[in-house]
Amino acid sequence: MEFREPIPGLENVPIKYTKITYIDGEKGELYYRGYNIVDLFNNSTYEETAYLLLFGKLPSPHDLEKFKEHMFEGRRTALEVIEEVSRLSTENALDRIKIGLILATKYVDSWPRFRGKQVVVDELLAVAPKILGLVHALTAYAVSLDPNIVEENLEASCAELLCKALVSDCMQKHIHILDKLLIVYADHGLSASAFAATVVASTLSSLLYALEAAISALQGPLHGGALEKVARMLEAIPLEKVEEYVSRKLAQKEKLMGFGHRVYKTYDPRAKLLKRLAAKLALNNNGLREAYLKAIALELHALKTLAAKRVYPNVDFWAATLLLIMGVRPENQLPVFVYSRTAGWLAHIIEYLENNKILRPRAIYRGPLGLKYRPLESR
Ligand SMILES: CC(C)(COP(=O)(O)OP(=O)(O)OC[C@H]1O[C@@H](n2cnc3c(N)ncnc32)[C@H](O)[C@@H]1OP(=O)(O)O)[C@@H](O)C(=O)NCCC(=O)NCCS
């Protein structure tokens, strides 16, 4: 059999057709199901956006009510899981969410079934809102460690539940900002985490295990892990040292966290939207405005060098700044990404399963053959 050369990082290798998300990296545009992210950001809510990603159309008022009821059912299911997770010793919020997903397989029927040769996609779409609610509840507990947080907010909006769990002094303006943040993070095509989830789902494993894999992929610093790193960087550098920090990093050919993107070769449209929100919030927030001032200074100095390479701030840069201004600790920032992106992950998994084929690429063998085994003592 003939083989082509390996393609590092599978860059630009298509594995499916999609109707979920379109990204124009040259123009800096992002669309969910045909709707420009700017339009959704200005006019939609996270609940509507999650529905849109999963079901391919904006919900009617009735659709939205049903969708929320199913999410609330997922939150209620999570109560038993949270009880179990709370008894375990866990390292961090993401571990708590992952363990919760594994334990939840007892309570949620999350395994794909067949009708003839086809996966029954309708069943997966029916359970998806419940799983989304479950993940939201697990995340709310994981960041707050408050065993009552979900029960006390069982029918709160997604942004409100998150705000109560995350922000010590949660106000209406914070809920509004989190709602917008959740919209921009809800999907981004076949990112490493969406791909990891798809690989697991393609074996017809549980949707909950697929989500667990997605979170593991997200944790790396080249993907969502950048969010926490940006937050820690902004906390660590004093404002008057920002210019020196940027110059040193770039002189040493090191990467600045929160800059650059594999797809966007211009300003990330999500970063643009979040930067505006950060500016507004910082103006009204004397105490924590420092993070915003540092971010502005960092962007200014970095772009003097990086704009020529078409490297701009990405979504994580401005999301981390925004969350810091709201007082969200760096270690609690990546769970916000999980809270939001679960909608996109589920949409991608289910879309792939419509025409499922197990994802099984090949490695081209270049090692020796015919070696003879020698007993341990003679080696
Ligand atoms: C996201 C990322 C992995 C994309 O990488 P990529 O598309 O493979 O781009 P490359 O790494 O090939 O970079 C192209 C050029 O821009 C430079 N560059 C890219 N991102 C940079 C950054 N964050 N800081 C400084 N320089 C950067 C590279 O050094 C390279 O310069 P060179 O041509 O002089 O060698 C990369 O930009 C990065 O590591 N960013 C920091 C981590 C981050 O914020 N991740 C979140 C992504 S949403």
Side-chain angles (χ1 to χ4, degrees):
M1 187 188 273
E2 287 281 314
F3 291 112
R4 286 173 301 176
E5 288 299 304
I7 298 172
L10 293 180
E11 193 172 359
N12 292 325
V13 176
I15 65 153
K16 66 169 182 176
Y17 289 105
T18 187
K19 289 183 175 159
I20 302 172
T21 290
Y22 176 70
I23 306 167
D24 187 326
E26 289 296 321
K27 288 196 198 144
E29 289 179 356
L30 169 63
Y31 296 82
Y32 296 160
R33 300 282 189 182
Y35 294 89
N36 193 307
I37 191 68
V38 181
D39 193 8
L40 293 170
F41 180 90
N42 288 333
N43 300 307
S44 166
T45 60
Y46 174 71
E47 282 82 349
E48 279 192 297
T49 301
Y51 183 99
L52 173 70
L53 287 168
L54 283 165
F55 297 97
K57 59 178 180 124
L58 285 170
S60 67
H62 175 74
D63 293 335
L64 192 59
E65 276 319 299
K66 284 271 156 241
F67 183 61
K68 286 185 195 168
E69 275 170 29
H70 291 138
M71 279 202 288
F72 299 155
E73 207 185 306
R75 290 183 190 177
R76 275 189 282 275
T77 305
L79 294 175
E80 291 189 70
V81 183
I82 289 169
E83 164 73 29
E84 287 189 50
V85 176
S86 69
R87 280 188 254 121
L88 302 170
S89 144
T90 42
E91 192 59 25
N92 60 52
L94 290 168
D95 287 352
R96 288 189 270 282
I97 302 171
K98 291 198 288 184
I99 292 169
L101 283 169
I102 291 166
L103 294 173
T105 51
K106 271 190 291 191
Y107 304 98
V108 181
D109 184 2
S110 59
W111 293 78
R113 266 188 285 275
F114 279 103
R115 197 176 291 130
K117 282 172 87 177
Q118 290 295 111
V119 172
V120 187
V121 169
D122 293 353
E123 285 183 0
L124 301 179
L125 281 172
V127 79
K130 189 171 171 183
I131 293 179
L132 188 58
L134 176 103
V135 171
H136 290 167
L138 287 175
T139 310
Y141 167 72
V143 296
S144 66
L145 289 179
D146 174 355
N148 302 318
I149 190 81
V150 179
E151 209 153 13
E152 284 168 6
N153 296 284
L154 259 185
E155 302 206 348
S157 74
C158 294
E160 185 174 356
L161 172 62
L162 183 63
C163 190
K164 296 265 175 67
L166 209 56
V167 181
S168 57
D169 185 19
C170 168
M171 291 186 243
Q172 203 50 45
K173 66 177 177 183
H174 298 132
I175 296 173
H176 173 77
I177 287 172
L178 282 175
D179 196 35
K180 301 297 162 193
L181 186 67
L182 292 176
I183 291 172
V184 305
Y185 262 124
D187 192 47
H188 210 240
L190 217 50
S191 60
S193 53
F195 182 58
T198 307
V199 172
V200 175
S202 81
T203 69
L204 299 186
S205 183
S206 156
L207 296 190
L208 297 172
Y209 291 154
L211 293 177
E212 191 271 330
I215 297 172
S216 295
L218 184 69
Q219 284 172 274
L222 295 188
H223 193 1
L227 190 60
E228 183 173 333
K229 287 197 181 291
V230 173
R232 293 203 184 282
M233 167 177 77
L234 289 173
E235 276 198 335
I237 326 165
L239 182 55
E240 64 281 7
K241 293 268 166 77
V242 167
E243 184 167 6
E244 183 189 319
Y245 174 85
V246 172
S247 307
R248 180 164 40 83
K249 278 278 202 189
L250 295 181
Q252 290 168 351
K253 305 254 172 260
E254 283 181 39
K255 292 243 168 101
L256 271 180
M257 286 295 126
F259 283 78
H261 199 277
R262 175 56 59 82
V263 184
Y264 294 117
K265 296 303 161 201
T266 179
Y267 213 108
D268 181 332
R270 302 164 301 168
K272 230 188 245 177
L273 295 167
L274 296 184
K275 180 179 177 183
R276 231 184 285 154
L277 279 183
K280 228 197 249 172
L281 186 65
L283 273 180
N284 302 316
N285 195 335
N286 285 332
L288 294 163
R289 154 184 318 181
E290 179 99 342
Y292 174 75
L293 297 177
K294 288 184 199 174
I296 285 287
L298 218 143
E299 174 180 307
L300 187 80
H301 295 305
L303 286 185
K304 283 184 205 156
T305 309
L306 294 182
K309 294 185 183 184
R310 307 176 78 197
V311 171
Y312 293 88
N314 57 45
V315 66
D316 294 333
F317 184 76
W318 282 107
T321 307
L322 194 51
L323 290 167
L324 276 183
I325 304 171
M326 282 198 275
V328 178
R329 301 284 319 129
E331 61 273 19
N332 274 346
Q333 296 202 356
L334 199 47
V336 177
F337 194 142
V338 171
Y339 196 96
S340 165
R341 185 61 63 86
T342 298
W345 287 331
L346 286 167
H348 279 286
I349 294 168
I350 295 171
E351 184 181 67
Y352 189 81
L353 288 175
E354 276 174 33
N355 295 298
N356 188 51
K357 188 168 173 74
I358 187 167
L359 279 161
R360 204 318 188 176
R362 271 192 96 131
I364 301 173
Y365 184 71
R366 284 278 159 86
L369 291 172
L371 301 181
K372 287 281 170 256
Y373 178 83
R374 280 180 26 227
L376 188 59
E377 324 71 77
S378 65
R379 277 178 247 153

